[in-house]
Amino acid sequence: MSRLFSLTLVTLSILLLLLLSCCCVPALGKKKLYIGALFPMSGGWPGGQACLPAAQMALRLVNERADILPGYELELIHYDSRCDPGEATKLLYDLLYTEPIKIVLMPGCSSVSTLVAEAARMWNLIVLSYGSSSPALSNRQRFPTFFRTHPSATLHNPTRVQLFQKWKWTKIATIQQTTEVFTSTLDDLEERVKEAGIEISVRQSFLTDPAVAVKNLKRQDARIIVGLFYETEARKVFCEVYKERLFGKKYVWFLIGWYADNWFKIKDPSINCTVEQMTEAVEGHVTTEIVMLNPETVRGASNLTSQEFLTKLMSKLGGKNPEETGGFQEAPLAYDAVWALALALNKTVGPLRAKGYRLEDFNYNNRDITAEIYKAMNTSSFEGVSGHVVFDAQGSRMAWTLIEQLQGGSYKKIGYYDSTKGNLSWYGNDQWIGSGPPADQTMVIEEFRYLSQKLFVTVSVFAGLGILLGIICLTFNIYNSNVRYIQNSQPYLNNMTALGCMMALAAIFPLGIDGLHVHRRQFPVVCQFRLWLLGLGFSLAYGSMFTKIWWVHTVFTKKDEKKDRRKHLKPWKLYATVGVLLSIDILSLLIWQIVDPLHITVEKFTKEAPKGDLDVLIQPLLEHCSSIKMNTWLGVVYGYKGLLLLLGIFLAYETKSISTEKINDHRAVGMAIYNVAVLCMITAPVTMILSSQQDASFAFASLAIVFSVYITLVVLFVPKMRRLITRGEWQSDAQEAMKTGSSTNNNDEEKSRQLERENKELEKIIQEKEERVSELRNQLCERQATQSRRRPSTITNQHHSPPLTIHHSDHPRALAPPPGYSVPLASDPHPVPLSTFANSSSLYQSDGKISRNNCHANRLQLLYK
């Protein structure tokens, strides 16, 4: 009985064991394939914080799928590389020389991937990276077994070049951390911008401290700056950027887009900037980032949409803030990397079985299995949560590029770039922060300086009033031209003066017209009006006054030519003189405009910085009327006019004491000449000095014209008006005769004029006679002196001699009677003695002039006999 019981127990045990073995064979029979992974949980890029959970999610889903790697289970062996190549070297040694054998290696950082991928070829290992962007890893000769789901950093460069060209930037600057990934990226960028005709004007690098590099950027006036560095170094860079004020509307920073969204707000003991300062410094920078999350709602190989993936990932992270989780943006790439590896390994099962191999047979010396895995990876193509996964010939992921900008402390999408098609698309209307992208260098805005309109209007009012005054003076002079007092002031010359003054005032209007009022093509016409109006106005106004003073000086100050004093003033000679001066001006201006015509020139001034944070400089411009040899022509004109002005001053001084009725206003003319000459000689050089200051130059020149004209008109015409008003001399001589109806006054006045003329003629004759008498007296004195030296007896006889008389036979011409007097007879009982002529000078004034008021009755009887 006991035997039977024992046999039954053994049988049940065997059956139980068989049952258990049957139930457990599927689980216990799966072969494990090990993946050696390096996830950076800290360091320059702590991407492992989100990428490790994403990879573990993918492994669980792959292992649960019966259609992927049946009979196999993927297991992840991972370490923290801290994104440090030195640490990664030690960990790689542990992975390779510690059981079990790893079929694939999965590094993260580019610096770590470079080390791993270069060593993996010695162990026939496939390397699949989820976070490496170094362009150097695209070298198939150096890294023959390397693949990555993270696109190469060079994929950013075509996007950057497209943005540079879109915003018309031709100069950029770069600053990089000295690592291979950034150096190779920058080398590729340099080649691309060179092909696009863009210059890298400043290239700075740093190892750990970016302070000097940032200062160099500031010193060399860098504006468009591409920054290539890890996240921790980015905080250091922008702390220095804040200190150097290398941010704002004048600058654009291009950064890598795979930093955490709040990377600039993370407290970092290695910097001494506050969060507020960092936020201010990074505002407005642009990032180019590979599209790492499929924007379309499609279910890929993992049967998850991108949004479902994010939901599961957030759940696995335990509610951590994605912005504070390193690698959150790259998590879809790590997820798809596991799926890419699983699908590739699944694809090799059949080919390996045909060759008599199994995946579990892999060892570090088996190249056949590695070749099959490489072939399967190279032909991968599936939809992942990061988008369509496909590798190029260099093993790099091909993808779109996302363009974002930090606006108001958060990143905003502004566009996409498809590098395969060269297509740049935007969200809306190029949503750049602020007023638009700045220039790659200080933008220079040309700004013309125009005359102050208030000044122009003010001076124009005075000019208009002056023209009105000139019209009044001209009308007055023409209306009263028959008045004797007006006639004696040469009214036609005064009319020329008034007309010239009005022309000079009219020149003020084109003098104040600039590009604000007329088109650039019409501006030379304005220049011509300025020149001709001012030149001819000066010739008429000053020329007529100069002519008056010239003829007064010619007639009354030449002592040697006494006959000229007797000449009557002929008006045509005065007009001819003005005509000569005017002809000289017209001829010189014609030659000037034919040989070297005036045209518009633009003067450039020193660039000015406007107020505010604007990346522009103002280039002030000023329009001038000029010609090729402007200084030569001005020298000729100023020299000629200057000589006339100096000569006018001299003549006015010489004739200041002369009084003449033929030009009775020559003293007023002299005063006007003084004022005009002084103002012109001061204004001409000052306006040349102030030519670059349009307001000051116009004010000085126009006011000089206004004052000269006002003074000239007031001095010449106001006294005449006052005289005619106060004395009532408004009518001409003929009008007065018709008004009175009597010719008596007219006859008396004519007789009086005739007597005055005869009196002057007699005065001249008597003066000549007195000179002759004086000569005879001198001869008499000489005779007396000779006789005094003779004998005393002779002297005694001389005392009894009769009085000396003048005989006509000795000096018939000298003692000839004046016209109208009879010749005395020889029997005249009253001969004229010498003493009579000796005392005859008492009849006249000492200066040889005589007037009616001091004529004695018996003297008038002698003169008008």
Side-chain angles (χ1 to χ4, degrees):
M1 189 69 169
S2 60
R3 278 185 180 181
L4 182 61
F5 178 77
S6 299
L7 182 61
T8 302
L9 182 62
V10 170
T11 302
L12 290 175
S13 299
I14 293 172
L15 291 174
L16 180 63
L17 290 173
L18 290 174
L19 180 62
L20 290 175
S21 62
C22 292
C23 294
C24 296
V25 163
L28 296 176
K30 277 192 174 184
K31 302 296 183 179
K32 290 189 177 181
L33 301 177
Y34 296 94
I35 303 172
L38 298 175
F39 288 94
M41 308 305 291
S42 59
W45 177 64
Q49 296 177 6
C51 289
L52 178 58
Q56 291 172 340
M57 283 174 54
L59 281 174
R60 184 176 60 82
L61 292 176
V62 167
N63 290 331
E64 290 177 355
R65 291 278 293 268
D67 58 333
I68 299 176
L69 291 175
Y72 294 98
E73 180 181 356
L74 296 179
E75 184 172 330
L76 191 64
I77 300 175
H78 60 87
Y79 299 102
D80 179 10
S81 67
R82 293 184 290 185
C83 209
D84 182 5
E87 181 69 18
T89 303
K90 175 180 177 298
L91 297 176
L92 178 61
Y93 182 85
D94 293 339
L95 286 172
L96 293 176
Y97 291 98
T98 303
E99 292 290 342
I101 294 176
K102 286 75 180 179
I103 195 170
V104 173
L105 297 178
M106 288 184 60
C109 297
S110 293
S111 57
V112 174
S113 295
T114 301
L115 171 69
V116 173
E118 197 165 18
R121 62 189 299 180
M122 305 302 296
W123 282 268
N124 296 310
L125 281 169
I126 297 294
V127 178
L128 177 59
S129 175
Y130 56 88
S132 300
S133 61
S134 173
L137 294 170
S138 297
N139 188 342
R140 268 287 177 246
Q141 294 180 349
R142 185 180 174 188
F143 312 104
T145 61
F146 180 78
F147 293 88
R148 52 182 165 182
T149 54
H150 194 300
S152 170
T154 56
L155 199 61
H156 296 260
N157 291 336
T159 308
R160 291 169 179 146
V161 173
Q162 284 289 324
L163 295 177
F164 298 158
Q165 292 177 329
K166 173 180 173 57
W167 291 320
K168 297 180 174 57
W169 292 330
T170 58
K171 293 174 63 177
I172 64 171
T174 63
I175 178 173
Q176 64 157 115
Q177 184 180 354
T178 310
T179 60
E180 184 178 14
V181 55
F182 301 127
T183 301
S184 55
T185 302
L186 188 54
D187 291 340
D188 179 77
L189 177 62
E190 189 169 8
E191 292 179 4
R192 292 178 184 272
V193 297
K194 187 176 181 180
E195 293 175 359
I198 300 171
E199 175 191 1
I200 297 181
S201 58
V202 184
R203 184 168 178 170
Q204 295 293 318
S205 61
F206 65 93
L207 185 59
T208 56
D209 186 4
V212 176
V214 173
K215 289 180 180 179
N216 290 338
L217 291 176
K218 177 70 173 181
R219 185 173 62 252
Q220 298 185 45
D221 195 28
R223 300 300 179 87
I224 311 303
I225 308 168
V226 178
L228 301 174
F229 28 72
Y230 287 115
E231 182 178 318
T232 52
E233 279 66 28
R235 285 189 284 269
K236 296 179 183 179
V237 168
F238 276 89
C239 184
E240 297 299 326
V241 165
Y242 179 83
K243 295 175 184 177
E244 297 296 329
R245 311 301 296 178
L246 202 65
F247 63 91
K249 295 180 180 179
K250 295 181 180 180
Y251 307 96
V252 177
W253 282 85
F254 281 84
L255 301 182
I256 302 168
W258 38 258
Y259 301 160
D261 287 348
N262 67 335
W263 63 270
F264 52 91
K265 297 179 181 179
I266 298 174
K267 293 184 179 180
D268 192 336
S270 63
I271 63 173
N272 56 359
C273 293
T274 64
V275 174
E276 291 76 15
Q277 292 172 341
M278 291 291 293
T279 302
E280 183 180 0
V282 301
E283 179 66 18
H285 77 264
V286 177
T287 64
T288 53
E289 179 183 356
I290 305 304
V291 176
M292 300 179 185
L293 190 66
N294 195 340
E296 299 179 359
T297 307
V298 295
R299 295 185 181 275
S302 65
N303 201 29
L304 290 179
T305 65
S306 56
Q307 294 303 318
E308 290 173 346
F309 162 76
L310 289 179
T311 303
K312 290 181 177 294
L313 178 61
M314 291 295 296
S315 175
K316 192 168 182 62
L317 291 176
K320 290 183 181 179
N321 187 352
E323 295 183 355
E324 297 179 357
T325 305
F328 184 83
Q329 294 179 342
E330 292 78 10
L333 301 180
Y335 182 85
D336 283 345
V338 173
W339 276 97
L341 176 60
L343 292 174
L345 292 176
N346 186 65
K347 193 184 296 185
T348 62
V349 172
L352 287 177
R353 184 181 299 116
K355 293 181 180 181
Y357 293 111
R358 297 174 301 174
L359 286 175
E360 63 267 26
D361 295 334
F362 174 78
N363 59 61
Y364 298 141
N365 296 319
N366 195 326
R367 294 186 178 182
D368 294 334
I369 297 178
T370 302
E372 288 298 329
I373 298 175
Y374 177 88
K375 185 186 299 183
M377 287 291 297
N378 205 30
T379 58
S380 296
S381 179
F382 67 95
E383 290 294 329
V385 294
S386 63
H388 188 70
V389 179
V390 62
F391 302 103
D392 61 15
Q394 286 75 36
S396 297
R397 170 81 175 275
M398 298 174 66
W400 281 35
T401 306
L402 172 65
I403 306 166
E404 293 183 314
Q405 186 184 32
L406 189 70
Q407 300 179 9
S410 61
Y411 287 99
K412 305 294 183 183
K413 296 178 182 179
I414 61 175
Y416 284 100
Y417 178 68
D418 184 359
S419 59
T420 60
K421 298 180 181 179
N423 182 30
L424 187 64
S425 56
W426 296 97
Y427 280 100
N429 297 322
D430 190 357
Q431 300 180 14
W432 183 275
I433 186 172
S435 59
D440 55 351
Q441 54 188 338
T442 302
M443 184 182 296
V444 178
I445 299 177
E446 293 185 346
E447 183 179 90
F448 281 92
R449 288 180 173 177
Y450 295 119
L451 183 66
S452 169
Q453 296 306 296
K454 184 181 293 186
L455 174 63
F456 179 52
V457 171
T458 303
V459 176
S460 297
V461 170
F462 282 101
L465 293 175
I467 292 175
L468 180 60
L469 177 61
I471 294 173
I472 294 173
C473 294
L474 183 62
T475 305
F476 162 81
N477 212 52
I478 294 174
Y479 180 76
N480 296 283
S481 59
N482 292 327
V483 177
R484 186 177 69 253
Y485 179 72
I486 301 298
Q487 287 179 341
N488 289 339
S489 66
Q490 299 300 323
Y492 293 107
L493 291 181
N494 290 339
N495 293 343
M496 293 181 188
T497 301
L499 183 61
C501 288
M502 288 188 287
M503 290 179 66
L505 288 173
I508 291 177
F509 298 104
L511 196 64
I513 294 176
D514 48 28
L516 185 63
H517 306 91
V518 297
H519 193 271
R520 192 181 183 88
R521 289 175 294 183
Q522 283 79 42
F523 200 78
V525 178
V526 177
C527 297
Q528 298 291 342
F529 272 103
R530 292 180 184 178
L531 183 64
W532 285 91
L533 283 175
L534 192 56
L536 298 183
F538 178 86
S539 296
L540 279 176
Y542 183 78
S544 57
M545 295 189 296
F546 177 82
T547 299
K548 282 186 180 183
I549 212 73
W550 169 270
W551 279 98
V552 170
H553 182 272
T554 301
V555 173
F556 293 100
T557 61
K558 292 187 177 181
K559 298 181 180 179
D560 296 333
E561 299 178 3
K562 298 177 181 179
K563 293 181 180 181
D564 290 342
R565 294 185 181 182
R566 298 189 183 97
K567 291 182 179 179
H568 294 289
L569 190 61
K570 297 180 180 180
W572 70 267
K573 294 184 177 180
L574 300 178
Y575 309 148
T577 304
V578 177
V580 169
L581 296 177
L582 192 61
S583 299
I584 292 174
D585 264 0
I586 294 174
L587 182 62
S588 61
L589 292 178
L590 280 175
I591 294 174
W592 183 355
Q593 297 313 304
I594 294 174
V595 175
D596 189 13
L598 288 174
H599 60 272
I600 186 172
T601 59
V602 178
E603 179 183 3
K604 293 185 178 182
F605 298 91
T606 303
K607 298 180 180 67
E608 302 172 353
K611 295 181 180 180
D613 187 19
L614 299 176
D615 187 23
V616 295
L617 286 178
I618 304 300
Q619 172 70 77
L621 303 175
L622 183 60
E623 296 171 329
H624 291 285
C625 292
S626 183
S627 57
I628 298 175
K629 296 183 178 180
M630 187 71 173
N631 292 333
T632 302
W633 294 109
L634 287 179
V636 172
V637 173
Y638 285 168
Y640 162 63
K641 303 287 186 183
L643 289 176
L644 282 181
L645 291 171
L646 292 175
L647 184 57
I649 293 175
F650 170 75
L651 295 178
Y653 177 78
E654 287 288 311
T655 59
K656 68 181 188 308
S657 60
I658 294 176
S659 177
T660 175
E661 292 184 358
K662 295 299 180 183
I663 303 180
N664 58 17
D665 62 349
H666 75 281
R667 288 192 178 92
V669 170
M671 185 181 299
I673 286 176
Y674 287 143
N675 288 281
V676 172
V678 170
L679 286 172
C680 289
M681 288 189 289
I682 292 175
T683 303
V686 171
T687 51
M688 293 183 68
I689 296 172
L690 299 177
S691 61
S692 298
Q693 304 177 30
Q694 71 279 11
D695 288 346
S697 177
F698 173 77
F700 209 93
S702 58
L703 291 179
I705 294 173
V706 169
F707 286 141
S708 298
V709 168
Y710 272 76
I711 291 173
T712 299
L713 294 177
V714 169
V715 167
L716 287 184
F717 292 96
V718 171
K720 295 180 178 62
M721 296 179 183
R722 181 174 177 274
R723 178 185 174 97
L724 266 62
I725 292 173
T726 55
R727 298 189 181 186
E729 300 178 7
W730 288 100
Q731 290 81 19
S732 64
D733 297 341
Q735 289 173 332
E736 288 181 358
M738 292 176 64
K739 183 177 179 180
T740 57
S742 174
S743 61
T744 303
N745 293 335
N746 192 19
N747 293 334
D748 291 342
E749 188 172 355
E750 185 65 27
K751 290 179 180 179
S752 177
R753 292 179 183 174
Q754 182 66 25
L755 289 175
E756 286 181 0
R757 286 194 293 269
E758 292 177 357
N759 188 26
K760 289 181 180 180
E761 292 294 331
L762 290 173
E763 180 182 348
K764 295 177 182 178
I765 295 172
I766 291 172
Q767 185 175 358
E768 292 177 358
K769 298 300 182 181
E770 285 183 347
E771 291 177 357
R772 182 59 183 165
V773 169
S774 177
E775 183 180 351
L776 292 174
R777 291 184 64 184
N778 290 336
Q779 293 178 2
L780 179 61
C781 291
E782 290 178 357
R783 285 185 181 181
Q784 290 177 352
T786 303
Q787 292 177 0
S788 66
R789 290 193 294 271
R790 295 180 180 178
R791 297 188 307 275
S793 59
T794 305
I795 297 173
T796 304
N797 295 332
Q798 184 179 1
H799 287 294
H800 295 281
S801 63
L804 178 64
T805 60
I806 304 300
H807 299 281
H808 300 288
S809 60
D810 294 337
H811 303 283
R813 179 180 178 85
L815 299 179
Y821 287 83
S822 60
V823 179
L825 300 175
S827 61
D828 193 346
H830 302 287
V832 181
L834 179 63
S835 60
T836 302
F837 286 97
N839 296 327
S840 64
S841 62
S842 64
L843 294 173
Y844 314 105
Q845 295 177 355
S846 58
D847 58 354
K849 297 181 180 179
I850 188 168
S851 62
R852 298 183 203 175
N853 296 333
N854 57 11
C855 289
H856 195 271
N858 56 359
R859 294 174 182 172
L860 289 174
Q861 186 177 3
L862 173 63
L863 292 175
Y864 301 119
K865 183 176 177 179

